[in-house]
Amino acid sequence: MATPTIGYVSTQELPALPPPDAGRGAVAWLRTNLFATPLNSALTIAVGLLLAWALPPIINWLFFDAIWDGDSREACLVEGAGACWAFVKAKFGQFIYGRYPLDQRWRVDLVFIMLVVGLVPLAMPKVPYKKQNAILMLVVFPFVAYVLLYGGFGLPVVETALWGGLLVTLVVAIVGIVASLPLGILLALGRQSKLPVIKTASVVFIEFWRGVPLITVLFMSSVMLPLFLPPGTNFDKLLRALVGVALFSSAYMAEVIRGGLQAIPKGQYEGAAAVGLGYWQSMRLIILPQALKIVIPGIVNTFIGLFKDTSLVLIIGIFDLLGIVQLNFTDPNWASPVTPATGFVFAAFVFWIFCFGMSRYSLYMERRLETGHKRR
Amino acid sequence: MRHCRPGTVRDTELLLSTSLRKVSMAIQNDAGKAGGRSGPGLSAFIYDPFYRGLIFQALIALAVIWTGYEIVVNTIANLQRANIASGFGFLGQRAGFDVSQSLIPFTNDSTYGRAFFVGLTNTLLVAALAIFFSTLLGFIVGIARLSPNWLLRKVAMVYVEIFRNIPLLLQLLFWYKAVLALLPQPRQGIELPFNSSLSNRGLIVPRFIPENGFAIVFAVFVAAIVGAVLLARWAKQRQMATGQQFPTIIASLGIIIGLPVLAFLVMGTPMTVEYPELRGFNFVGGVAMKPEFMALLLGLSIYTASFIAEIVRAGIQAVSYGQTEAAAALGIRPGIATRLVVIPQAMRVVIPPLTSQFLNVTKNSSLGVAIGYPDLVAVFSGTVLNQTGQAVEVIMITMLVYLTISLTTSLFMNWFNSRMRLVER
């Protein structure tokens, strides 16, 4: 039996019509995002005018009017000259290595390469052998880096007074973070401890360092630390700053980690006790792995703060990146009205790349570590 | 055999638990014998978490005391070797240096103690102003980051990402050495209204000199503020009781601005204005905001505002959209819903990190030392320390000041948090 065909029933689905013109395309985007309401339109126009006023001079200064080549200040003394990139070009070696001897700079390069080769697989969650890699970076690398940078084992000694630039910035930041992590974990555990003496000692330590500005800590480590040690002991200026930075950042790290410890439900502690684990076992196997995972973004943020704070060492006369850039403004061969701005923009760009990269990484980890346990 | 102690050891429990301890130890030993494992008393003692805790704490306490003792002994020996006086007597001595900016009268005949207060007031001044401006800017940028306007949102984001990721010290030096240092000489300074001028000597504005009777105007101003607070309380009580609203904001503004202006006119305008004048190479009269101060204020405000913007954004986003929808369902208009439903809940999230940013501003103002702003660290830990050499006392006092500010603020915060905490039923 053949199905009767009825003329007004369509046998096939009609093709979907495109949405009305007002709902798509560039015009619609403009209308929803820039000119939705009169107020919105006014804001768009105001911000647009502001950008049109501010951006062209900045871009001209940075690129089109900039002096890219030259051997001395003469090149940058032109009327209406923009950034003096020739200055950065000429001093680039100093900005990276400080006054590290020219023929020994390969040692610094080698350390930089080792650092990158070690850190990149550690930062990528999919790469295996995390534990081995971490041990390598935390135990073997510092020793090798120390020998390479300072000398010994046949390498000529390079005094830390000659170190400078990005090298010092990275040394201070990395030593600060590597030292502050274990110290911070211990302090955080101490603050959570039920033993009154340990708890009090940790609280006093943490609150003291968090309550004072880093600059007074650096003053203290450069002026007072020598007084605290037995008469006659004298140790390196950079090392003194490192001690101050490490103690300072460990207090901040401790508070970040405490946040993680407090976020672990009580059942985890009780569960660990129920299967017969002692304090250190339960911390090492149950609590800390979870707590540290939660606070990885916080740890990275602390690291960003520390990285920015390393610039403060210039106040006690250590030439980190910012310090060495500033020192070079006094070079009569390059003194010009645009030199300081150029140097600062360069230093700012380097710091920005590092900090922005780390903050993006922390966001990425935050999303990745989202295991669905977050309270909603 | 392991003994489990229920609960925690508190100081008050200590005596009681020690005696309990002996009893349970005895039972434990008996049990051990009954089980045929006569463990030695010493290992039971070591493995007991209670005694272990005591031993561990004693060791830590000893280490702390020993370190402290070593530090004190070494410091005394070092100071004696270097022939540096100790004690706080130096605070009464003549300072013999000048300070470029001070809120309280200070000459080079003043004492070191007075120099300390000059530094402290300068720190508090720049911190208070920077807190004000950074909060203002931060709230604007934070709200702009949530704007439906794409352009505004992106500009706010670029602002935050740029200024948050560059060290504050670098920003300060940039403003001071690369921007403000390029301003013209006073003679070619940028003319602003009211005879003000912007040059490489800073921003020069007219000085207002109060005359007789200005105190009364000020008293009226204070009274107006108190009156406005009382009015707001009365209006709220009335609204709670009767549901009638009162235009509190307009009325209070009227009282706070209107009454002092009225008093000012009634007293016969008791104030003269001293306009700055260019004489020779510099200005005479007026008040000068030094470039150091401007750079520090600018840098601190812009840097901190980028953090405050993020805090504000996170706070507003933390209020779930259901709250806005529920308010709409109750027939509350969007503006009022934002003011009475969203913002109070967002503030609960915003205020704790905001306070810690305010603390950071206060601590970060110490970076003024790098650009020569005479704050506490520059005047006291810098100049005074160099002149007297009494590092221990000077740095201790400096740290104590910052600690006091920090701890007071965190005490206040703890109180505030416990007051604002959500009480779950």
Side-chain angles (χ1 to χ4, degrees), chain B residues 329-361:
Chain B
L330 288 173
I332 301 172
R333 275 180 282 135
I336 296 177
T338 309
R339 195 158 59 84
L340 296 180
V341 177
V342 178
I343 288 182
Q345 298 188 71
M347 284 318 269
R348 183 178 280 134
V349 183
V350 165
I351 285 181
L354 195 63
T355 340
S356 80
Q357 282 305 321
F358 292 169
L359 269 186
N360 279 349
V361 171

PDB file of all heavy atoms in Angstrom, chain B residues 329-361:
ATOM      1  N   ALA B 329      13.771  39.260  41.081  1.00  0.00           N
ATOM      2  CA  ALA B 329      12.502  38.573  41.272  1.00  0.00           C
ATOM      3  C   ALA B 329      11.659  39.251  42.345  1.00  0.00           C
ATOM      4  O   ALA B 329      10.433  39.219  42.303  1.00  0.00           O
ATOM      5  CB  ALA B 329      12.742  37.111  41.642  1.00  0.00           C
ATOM      6  N   LEU B 330      12.338  39.862  43.318  1.00  0.00           N
ATOM      7  CA  LEU B 330      11.626  40.572  44.378  1.00  0.00           C
ATOM      8  C   LEU B 330      11.190  41.959  43.916  1.00  0.00           C
ATOM      9  O   LEU B 330      10.591  42.704  44.674  1.00  0.00           O
ATOM     10  CB  LEU B 330      12.513  40.718  45.610  1.00  0.00           C
ATOM     11  CG  LEU B 330      12.762  39.431  46.391  1.00  0.00           C
ATOM     12  CD1 LEU B 330      13.776  39.689  47.480  1.00  0.00           C
ATOM     13  CD2 LEU B 330      11.467  38.924  46.979  1.00  0.00           C
ATOM     14  N   GLY B 331      11.538  42.313  42.681  1.00  0.00           N
ATOM     15  CA  GLY B 331      11.129  43.603  42.152  1.00  0.00           C
ATOM     16  C   GLY B 331      12.032  44.744  42.540  1.00  0.00           C
ATOM     17  O   GLY B 331      11.630  45.902  42.508  1.00  0.00           O
ATOM     18  N   ILE B 332      13.283  44.433  42.921  1.00  0.00           N
ATOM     19  CA  ILE B 332      14.227  45.498  43.269  1.00  0.00           C
ATOM     20  C   ILE B 332      14.907  45.965  41.991  1.00  0.00           C
ATOM     21  O   ILE B 332      15.353  45.146  41.192  1.00  0.00           O
ATOM     22  CB  ILE B 332      15.263  44.991  44.286  1.00  0.00           C
ATOM     23  CG1 ILE B 332      14.528  44.502  45.531  1.00  0.00           C
ATOM     24  CG2 ILE B 332      16.250  46.072  44.641  1.00  0.00           C
ATOM     25  CD1 ILE B 332      15.420  43.810  46.515  1.00  0.00           C
ATOM     26  N   ARG B 333      14.999  47.271  41.812  1.00  0.00           N
ATOM     27  CA  ARG B 333      15.604  47.780  40.583  1.00  0.00           C
ATOM     28  C   ARG B 333      17.109  47.503  40.566  1.00  0.00           C
ATOM     29  O   ARG B 333      17.737  47.422  41.627  1.00  0.00           O
ATOM     30  CB  ARG B 333      15.340  49.282  40.462  1.00  0.00           C
ATOM     31  CG  ARG B 333      13.987  49.566  39.827  1.00  0.00           C
ATOM     32  CD  ARG B 333      13.739  51.036  39.722  1.00  0.00           C
ATOM     33  NE  ARG B 333      13.337  51.603  40.997  1.00  0.00           N
ATOM     34  CZ  ARG B 333      13.828  52.727  41.483  1.00  0.00           C
ATOM     35  NH1 ARG B 333      14.735  53.399  40.823  1.00  0.00           N
ATOM     36  NH2 ARG B 333      13.409  53.186  42.646  1.00  0.00           N
ATOM     37  N   PRO B 334      17.718  47.364  39.353  1.00  0.00           N
ATOM     38  CA  PRO B 334      19.121  46.932  39.252  1.00  0.00           C
ATOM     39  C   PRO B 334      20.082  47.787  40.072  1.00  0.00           C
ATOM     40  O   PRO B 334      20.950  47.262  40.766  1.00  0.00           O
ATOM     41  CB  PRO B 334      19.405  47.053  37.757  1.00  0.00           C
ATOM     42  CG  PRO B 334      18.093  46.958  37.089  1.00  0.00           C
ATOM     43  CD  PRO B 334      17.077  47.500  38.031  1.00  0.00           C
ATOM     44  N   GLY B 335      19.941  49.122  40.022  1.00  0.00           N
ATOM     45  CA  GLY B 335      20.860  49.988  40.750  1.00  0.00           C
ATOM     46  C   GLY B 335      20.816  49.718  42.245  1.00  0.00           C
ATOM     47  O   GLY B 335      21.846  49.571  42.906  1.00  0.00           O
ATOM     48  N   ILE B 336      19.587  49.606  42.762  1.00  0.00           N
ATOM     49  CA  ILE B 336      19.429  49.370  44.196  1.00  0.00           C
ATOM     50  C   ILE B 336      19.903  47.967  44.552  1.00  0.00           C
ATOM     51  O   ILE B 336      20.506  47.745  45.602  1.00  0.00           O
ATOM     52  CB  ILE B 336      17.960  49.599  44.594  1.00  0.00           C
ATOM     53  CG1 ILE B 336      17.614  51.062  44.343  1.00  0.00           C
ATOM     54  CG2 ILE B 336      17.729  49.246  46.046  1.00  0.00           C
ATOM     55  CD1 ILE B 336      16.179  51.394  44.622  1.00  0.00           C
ATOM     56  N   ALA B 337      19.645  47.009  43.652  1.00  0.00           N
ATOM     57  CA  ALA B 337      20.096  45.639  43.908  1.00  0.00           C
ATOM     58  C   ALA B 337      21.611  45.604  44.023  1.00  0.00           C
ATOM     59  O   ALA B 337      22.171  44.959  44.918  1.00  0.00           O
ATOM     60  CB  ALA B 337      19.627  44.722  42.786  1.00  0.00           C
ATOM     61  N   THR B 338      22.289  46.331  43.135  1.00  0.00           N
ATOM     62  CA  THR B 338      23.744  46.362  43.213  1.00  0.00           C
ATOM     63  C   THR B 338      24.190  46.957  44.552  1.00  0.00           C
ATOM     64  O   THR B 338      25.075  46.432  45.222  1.00  0.00           O
ATOM     65  CB  THR B 338      24.306  47.226  42.063  1.00  0.00           C
ATOM     66  OG1 THR B 338      23.736  46.764  40.859  1.00  0.00           O
ATOM     67  CG2 THR B 338      25.805  47.150  42.004  1.00  0.00           C
ATOM     68  N   ARG B 339      23.519  48.039  44.952  1.00  0.00           N
ATOM     69  CA  ARG B 339      23.961  48.749  46.152  1.00  0.00           C
ATOM     70  C   ARG B 339      23.626  47.984  47.430  1.00  0.00           C
ATOM     71  O   ARG B 339      24.415  47.956  48.375  1.00  0.00           O
ATOM     72  CB  ARG B 339      23.302  50.133  46.182  1.00  0.00           C
ATOM     73  CG  ARG B 339      23.922  51.094  47.155  1.00  0.00           C
ATOM     74  CD  ARG B 339      23.606  52.523  46.772  1.00  0.00           C
ATOM     75  NE  ARG B 339      22.175  52.804  46.720  1.00  0.00           N
ATOM     76  CZ  ARG B 339      21.452  53.116  47.786  1.00  0.00           C
ATOM     77  NH1 ARG B 339      22.015  53.198  48.958  1.00  0.00           N
ATOM     78  NH2 ARG B 339      20.160  53.360  47.673  1.00  0.00           N
ATOM     79  N   LEU B 340      22.459  47.357  47.453  1.00  0.00           N
ATOM     80  CA  LEU B 340      22.016  46.761  48.714  1.00  0.00           C
ATOM     81  C   LEU B 340      22.202  45.248  48.774  1.00  0.00           C
ATOM     82  O   LEU B 340      22.186  44.663  49.853  1.00  0.00           O
ATOM     83  CB  LEU B 340      20.537  47.090  48.953  1.00  0.00           C
ATOM     84  CG  LEU B 340      20.227  48.571  49.130  1.00  0.00           C
ATOM     85  CD1 LEU B 340      18.747  48.769  49.356  1.00  0.00           C
ATOM     86  CD2 LEU B 340      21.010  49.133  50.302  1.00  0.00           C
ATOM     87  N   VAL B 341      22.375  44.589  47.610  1.00  0.00           N
ATOM     88  CA  VAL B 341      22.501  43.133  47.633  1.00  0.00           C
ATOM     89  C   VAL B 341      23.907  42.687  47.259  1.00  0.00           C
ATOM     90  O   VAL B 341      24.542  41.928  47.988  1.00  0.00           O
ATOM     91  CB  VAL B 341      21.459  42.487  46.674  1.00  0.00           C
ATOM     92  CG1 VAL B 341      21.640  40.982  46.639  1.00  0.00           C
ATOM     93  CG2 VAL B 341      20.061  42.849  47.119  1.00  0.00           C
ATOM     94  N   VAL B 342      24.414  43.193  46.129  1.00  0.00           N
ATOM     95  CA  VAL B 342      25.693  42.678  45.633  1.00  0.00           C
ATOM     96  C   VAL B 342      26.863  43.270  46.414  1.00  0.00           C
ATOM     97  O   VAL B 342      27.723  42.547  46.931  1.00  0.00           O
ATOM     98  CB  VAL B 342      25.843  42.963  44.123  1.00  0.00           C
ATOM     99  CG1 VAL B 342      27.192  42.478  43.633  1.00  0.00           C
ATOM    100  CG2 VAL B 342      24.733  42.278  43.361  1.00  0.00           C
ATOM    101  N   ILE B 343      26.901  44.607  46.544  1.00  0.00           N
ATOM    102  CA  ILE B 343      28.090  45.232  47.142  1.00  0.00           C
ATOM    103  C   ILE B 343      28.298  44.800  48.598  1.00  0.00           C
ATOM    104  O   ILE B 343      29.433  44.467  48.970  1.00  0.00           O
ATOM    105  CB  ILE B 343      28.023  46.762  46.979  1.00  0.00           C
ATOM    106  CG1 ILE B 343      28.260  47.084  45.499  1.00  0.00           C
ATOM    107  CG2 ILE B 343      29.059  47.461  47.836  1.00  0.00           C
ATOM    108  CD1 ILE B 343      28.270  48.535  45.172  1.00  0.00           C
ATOM    109  N   PRO B 344      27.270  44.755  49.449  1.00  0.00           N
ATOM    110  CA  PRO B 344      27.551  44.317  50.823  1.00  0.00           C
ATOM    111  C   PRO B 344      28.155  42.923  50.878  1.00  0.00           C
ATOM    112  O   PRO B 344      29.036  42.654  51.700  1.00  0.00           O
ATOM    113  CB  PRO B 344      26.169  44.342  51.486  1.00  0.00           C
ATOM    114  CG  PRO B 344      25.377  45.288  50.690  1.00  0.00           C
ATOM    115  CD  PRO B 344      25.868  45.168  49.288  1.00  0.00           C
ATOM    116  N   GLN B 345      27.699  42.033  50.000  1.00  0.00           N
ATOM    117  CA  GLN B 345      28.258  40.682  50.026  1.00  0.00           C
ATOM    118  C   GLN B 345      29.651  40.664  49.424  1.00  0.00           C
ATOM    119  O   GLN B 345      30.508  39.882  49.855  1.00  0.00           O
ATOM    120  CB  GLN B 345      27.353  39.734  49.251  1.00  0.00           C
ATOM    121  CG  GLN B 345      25.984  39.632  49.871  1.00  0.00           C
ATOM    122  CD  GLN B 345      25.166  38.549  49.208  1.00  0.00           C
ATOM    123  OE1 GLN B 345      25.442  37.371  49.378  1.00  0.00           O
ATOM    124  NE2 GLN B 345      24.166  38.939  48.451  1.00  0.00           N
ATOM    125  N   ALA B 346      29.874  41.502  48.401  1.00  0.00           N
ATOM    126  CA  ALA B 346      31.214  41.551  47.803  1.00  0.00           C
ATOM    127  C   ALA B 346      32.207  42.134  48.806  1.00  0.00           C
ATOM    128  O   ALA B 346      33.350  41.668  48.901  1.00  0.00           O
ATOM    129  CB  ALA B 346      31.188  42.394  46.535  1.00  0.00           C
ATOM    130  N   MET B 347      31.769  43.113  49.590  1.00  0.00           N
ATOM    131  CA  MET B 347      32.685  43.752  50.539  1.00  0.00           C
ATOM    132  C   MET B 347      33.225  42.753  51.553  1.00  0.00           C
ATOM    133  O   MET B 347      34.360  42.854  51.997  1.00  0.00           O
ATOM    134  CB  MET B 347      31.979  44.893  51.288  1.00  0.00           C
ATOM    135  CG  MET B 347      31.796  46.151  50.469  1.00  0.00           C
ATOM    136  SD  MET B 347      33.207  46.577  49.488  1.00  0.00           S
ATOM    137  CE  MET B 347      34.083  47.625  50.608  1.00  0.00           C
ATOM    138  N   ARG B 348      32.399  41.776  51.899  1.00  0.00           N
ATOM    139  CA  ARG B 348      32.849  40.767  52.857  1.00  0.00           C
ATOM    140  C   ARG B 348      34.061  40.024  52.310  1.00  0.00           C
ATOM    141  O   ARG B 348      34.979  39.680  53.047  1.00  0.00           O
ATOM    142  CB  ARG B 348      31.695  39.812  53.130  1.00  0.00           C
ATOM    143  CG  ARG B 348      32.022  38.783  54.151  1.00  0.00           C
ATOM    144  CD  ARG B 348      30.834  37.899  54.415  1.00  0.00           C
ATOM    145  NE  ARG B 348      29.892  38.536  55.308  1.00  0.00           N
ATOM    146  CZ  ARG B 348      28.585  38.562  55.119  1.00  0.00           C
ATOM    147  NH1 ARG B 348      28.077  38.005  54.042  1.00  0.00           N
ATOM    148  NH2 ARG B 348      27.793  39.142  55.976  1.00  0.00           N
ATOM    149  N   VAL B 349      34.054  39.783  50.997  1.00  0.00           N
ATOM    150  CA  VAL B 349      35.189  39.098  50.367  1.00  0.00           C
ATOM    151  C   VAL B 349      36.335  40.079  50.141  1.00  0.00           C
ATOM    152  O   VAL B 349      37.502  39.729  50.240  1.00  0.00           O
ATOM    153  CB  VAL B 349      34.745  38.490  49.018  1.00  0.00           C
ATOM    154  CG1 VAL B 349      35.871  37.719  48.382  1.00  0.00           C
ATOM    155  CG2 VAL B 349      33.544  37.607  49.222  1.00  0.00           C
ATOM    156  N   VAL B 350      35.990  41.338  49.853  1.00  0.00           N
ATOM    157  CA  VAL B 350      37.007  42.301  49.428  1.00  0.00           C
ATOM    158  C   VAL B 350      37.832  42.811  50.601  1.00  0.00           C
ATOM    159  O   VAL B 350      39.050  42.965  50.491  1.00  0.00           O
ATOM    160  CB  VAL B 350      36.322  43.482  48.692  1.00  0.00           C
ATOM    161  CG1 VAL B 350      37.263  44.656  48.554  1.00  0.00           C
ATOM    162  CG2 VAL B 350      35.829  43.031  47.333  1.00  0.00           C
ATOM    163  N   ILE B 351      37.180  43.064  51.740  1.00  0.00           N
ATOM    164  CA  ILE B 351      37.867  43.832  52.778  1.00  0.00           C
ATOM    165  C   ILE B 351      39.124  43.169  53.350  1.00  0.00           C
ATOM    166  O   ILE B 351      40.153  43.848  53.458  1.00  0.00           O
ATOM    167  CB  ILE B 351      36.872  44.264  53.872  1.00  0.00           C
ATOM    168  CG1 ILE B 351      36.044  45.408  53.286  1.00  0.00           C
ATOM    169  CG2 ILE B 351      37.565  44.722  55.133  1.00  0.00           C
ATOM    170  CD1 ILE B 351      35.038  45.992  54.207  1.00  0.00           C
ATOM    171  N   PRO B 352      39.119  41.845  53.676  1.00  0.00           N
ATOM    172  CA  PRO B 352      40.384  41.310  54.217  1.00  0.00           C
ATOM    173  C   PRO B 352      41.592  41.482  53.300  1.00  0.00           C
ATOM    174  O   PRO B 352      42.612  42.029  53.746  1.00  0.00           O
ATOM    175  CB  PRO B 352      40.054  39.847  54.490  1.00  0.00           C
ATOM    176  CG  PRO B 352      38.595  39.805  54.638  1.00  0.00           C
ATOM    177  CD  PRO B 352      38.036  40.861  53.749  1.00  0.00           C
ATOM    178  N   PRO B 353      41.517  41.082  52.006  1.00  0.00           N
ATOM    179  CA  PRO B 353      42.704  41.322  51.172  1.00  0.00           C
ATOM    180  C   PRO B 353      42.985  42.809  50.944  1.00  0.00           C
ATOM    181  O   PRO B 353      44.136  43.203  50.764  1.00  0.00           O
ATOM    182  CB  PRO B 353      42.376  40.624  49.855  1.00  0.00           C
ATOM    183  CG  PRO B 353      40.930  40.441  49.844  1.00  0.00           C
ATOM    184  CD  PRO B 353      40.488  40.341  51.255  1.00  0.00           C
ATOM    185  N   LEU B 354      41.923  43.617  50.999  1.00  0.00           N
ATOM    186  CA  LEU B 354      42.124  45.060  50.816  1.00  0.00           C
ATOM    187  C   LEU B 354      42.968  45.615  51.962  1.00  0.00           C
ATOM    188  O   LEU B 354      43.886  46.409  51.738  1.00  0.00           O
ATOM    189  CB  LEU B 354      40.757  45.744  50.771  1.00  0.00           C
ATOM    190  CG  LEU B 354      40.729  47.169  50.247  1.00  0.00           C
ATOM    191  CD1 LEU B 354      41.180  47.183  48.809  1.00  0.00           C
ATOM    192  CD2 LEU B 354      39.333  47.745  50.361  1.00  0.00           C
ATOM    193  N   THR B 355      42.672  45.176  53.172  1.00  0.00           N
ATOM    194  CA  THR B 355      43.467  45.657  54.311  1.00  0.00           C
ATOM    195  C   THR B 355      44.909  45.247  54.162  1.00  0.00           C
ATOM    196  O   THR B 355      45.813  46.013  54.500  1.00  0.00           O
ATOM    197  CB  THR B 355      42.955  45.078  55.632  1.00  0.00           C
ATOM    198  OG1 THR B 355      41.645  44.655  55.447  1.00  0.00           O
ATOM    199  CG2 THR B 355      43.061  46.078  56.728  1.00  0.00           C
ATOM    200  N   SER B 356      45.121  44.021  53.665  1.00  0.00           N
ATOM    201  CA  SER B 356      46.524  43.618  53.553  1.00  0.00           C
ATOM    202  C   SER B 356      47.210  44.429  52.466  1.00  0.00           C
ATOM    203  O   SER B 356      48.418  44.684  52.559  1.00  0.00           O
ATOM    204  CB  SER B 356      46.645  42.117  53.342  1.00  0.00           C
ATOM    205  OG  SER B 356      46.414  41.780  52.028  1.00  0.00           O
ATOM    206  N   GLN B 357      46.459  44.893  51.466  1.00  0.00           N
ATOM    207  CA  GLN B 357      47.064  45.808  50.492  1.00  0.00           C
ATOM    208  C   GLN B 357      47.400  47.147  51.138  1.00  0.00           C
ATOM    209  O   GLN B 357      48.435  47.748  50.839  1.00  0.00           O
ATOM    210  CB  GLN B 357      46.121  46.042  49.311  1.00  0.00           C
ATOM    211  CG  GLN B 357      46.090  44.917  48.307  1.00  0.00           C
ATOM    212  CD  GLN B 357      47.451  44.579  47.777  1.00  0.00           C
ATOM    213  OE1 GLN B 357      48.286  45.436  47.525  1.00  0.00           O
ATOM    214  NE2 GLN B 357      47.719  43.300  47.629  1.00  0.00           N
ATOM    215  N   PHE B 358      46.523  47.619  52.032  1.00  0.00           N
ATOM    216  CA  PHE B 358      46.815  48.881  52.722  1.00  0.00           C
ATOM    217  C   PHE B 358      48.095  48.749  53.546  1.00  0.00           C
ATOM    218  O   PHE B 358      48.928  49.655  53.591  1.00  0.00           O
ATOM    219  CB  PHE B 358      45.648  49.272  53.635  1.00  0.00           C
ATOM    220  CG  PHE B 358      44.405  49.661  52.885  1.00  0.00           C
ATOM    221  CD1 PHE B 358      43.204  49.813  53.541  1.00  0.00           C
ATOM    222  CD2 PHE B 358      44.440  49.880  51.518  1.00  0.00           C
ATOM    223  CE1 PHE B 358      42.058  50.163  52.846  1.00  0.00           C
ATOM    224  CE2 PHE B 358      43.304  50.225  50.815  1.00  0.00           C
ATOM    225  CZ  PHE B 358      42.110  50.365  51.488  1.00  0.00           C
ATOM    226  N   LEU B 359      48.239  47.570  54.177  1.00  0.00           N
ATOM    227  CA  LEU B 359      49.473  47.317  54.940  1.00  0.00           C
ATOM    228  C   LEU B 359      50.670  47.327  53.997  1.00  0.00           C
ATOM    229  O   LEU B 359      51.725  47.875  54.327  1.00  0.00           O
ATOM    230  CB  LEU B 359      49.385  45.951  55.609  1.00  0.00           C
ATOM    231  CG  LEU B 359      48.808  45.938  57.005  1.00  0.00           C
ATOM    232  CD1 LEU B 359      48.924  44.555  57.574  1.00  0.00           C
ATOM    233  CD2 LEU B 359      49.572  46.916  57.870  1.00  0.00           C
ATOM    234  N   ASN B 360      50.487  46.702  52.819  1.00  0.00           N
ATOM    235  CA  ASN B 360      51.581  46.668  51.856  1.00  0.00           C
ATOM    236  C   ASN B 360      51.969  48.076  51.435  1.00  0.00           C
ATOM    237  O   ASN B 360      53.155  48.357  51.254  1.00  0.00           O
ATOM    238  CB  ASN B 360      51.169  45.869  50.616  1.00  0.00           C
ATOM    239  CG  ASN B 360      51.300  44.394  50.851  1.00  0.00           C
ATOM    240  OD1 ASN B 360      51.887  43.978  51.845  1.00  0.00           O
ATOM    241  ND2 ASN B 360      50.745  43.610  49.963  1.00  0.00           N
ATOM    242  N   VAL B 361      50.976  48.953  51.254  1.00  0.00           N
ATOM    243  CA  VAL B 361      51.286  50.330  50.878  1.00  0.00           C
ATOM    244  C   VAL B 361      52.187  50.945  51.943  1.00  0.00           C
ATOM    245  O   VAL B 361      53.212  51.561  51.634  1.00  0.00           O
ATOM    246  CB  VAL B 361      50.000  51.160  50.717  1.00  0.00           C
ATOM    247  CG1 VAL B 361      50.345  52.620  50.555  1.00  0.00           C
ATOM    248  CG2 VAL B 361      49.208  50.685  49.537  1.00  0.00           C
TER     249      VAL B 361
END
